[in-house]
């Protein structure tokens, strides 16, 4: 099942041609796991091209504009600045002549994301160690020798016998 879900997600990154406005900001926010504020902000700063307005000026998104939002959100999540994302969108809109520059942006963001993943894995190792340490303390009601506040108490305790 997980493979199918990933494949469906990845094929949704292809630019759908359906430009029928049908989703409200609230619906888009729920579908994307974003806040309505974020969706509006991305559109306000020009990162989501071709969002239509309904009666009363309400934004209406199509499958086409959702595909832009998915890419924008991904690039932002990897740390690309608003200006960097805007530049990427402008390049996309200029056409295939900009493919090398767009590819470079994506390759750079992938490298950054891989570095973030490596750092997160190291942090996870520390948390797992501490989790096991605390489980052991709780299970055996042991004294916490790693807590710096207990260093003065630690020095008054007798050395463990060998």
């Amino acid at each position: 099942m997980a493979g199918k879900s990933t494949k469906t997600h990845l094929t949704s990154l292809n630019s759908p041609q359906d430009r029928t406005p049908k989703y409200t900001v609230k619906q888009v926010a729920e579908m994307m796991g974003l806040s309505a504020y974020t969706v509006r902000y991305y559109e306000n700063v020009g990162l989501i091209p071709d969002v239509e307005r309904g009666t009363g000026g309400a934004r209406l998104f199509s499958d086409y504009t959702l595909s832009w939002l998915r890419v924008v959100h991904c690039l932002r999540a990897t740390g690309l600045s608003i200006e960097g994302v805007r530049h990427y969108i402008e390049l996309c809109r200029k056409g295939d002549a900009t493919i090398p520059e767009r590819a470079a942006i994506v390759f750079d963001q992938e490298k950054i994301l891989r570095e973030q993943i490596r750092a997160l894995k190291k942090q996870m190792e520390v948390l797992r160690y501490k989790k096991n340490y605390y489980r052991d303390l709780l299970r055996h009601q042991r004294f916490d020798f790693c807590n710096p506040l207990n260093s003065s108490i630690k020095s008054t305790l007798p050395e463990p016998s060998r």
Side-chain angles (χ1 to χ4, degrees), residues 9-41:
H9 175 69
L10 292 178
T11 56
S12 71
L13 293 176
N14 292 331
S15 183
Q17 297 306 309
D18 184 359
R19 295 178 185 230
T20 308
K22 53 187 153 197
Y23 308 111
T24 65
V25 168
K26 182 179 178 185
Q27 290 170 320
V28 168
E30 289 172 3
M31 288 189 290
M32 298 287 299
L34 300 170
S35 70
Y37 172 83
T38 299
V39 174
R40 283 188 209 95
Y41 177 75

Side-chain angles (χ1 to χ4, degrees), residues 128-143:
R128 283 188 181 134
Y129 171 81
K130 293 301 277 183
K131 181 175 118 180
N132 289 333
Y133 174 77
Y134 285 118
R135 272 192 183 146
D136 185 60
L137 286 179
L138 293 167
R139 187 176 301 130
H140 298 100
Q141 297 183 348
R142 293 192 176 149
F143 183 76

Side-chain angles (χ1 to χ4, degrees), residues 9 12 15 21 38 53 55-56 66 86 98 115 118 130 157:
H9 175 69
S12 71
S15 183
T38 299
R53 299 285 178 151
T55 56
L66 279 179
R86 183 177 291 118
T98 65
E115 290 168 6
R118 267 193 291 282
K130 293 301 277 183
L157 293 174

Side-chain angles (χ1 to χ4, degrees), residues 133-134 137 142-157:
Y133 174 77
Y134 285 118
L137 286 179
R142 293 192 176 149
F143 183 76
D144 182 4
F145 288 104
C146 290
N147 186 340
L149 293 176
N150 293 337
S151 62
S152 60
I153 298 170
K154 182 175 164 182
S155 63
T156 63
L157 293 174

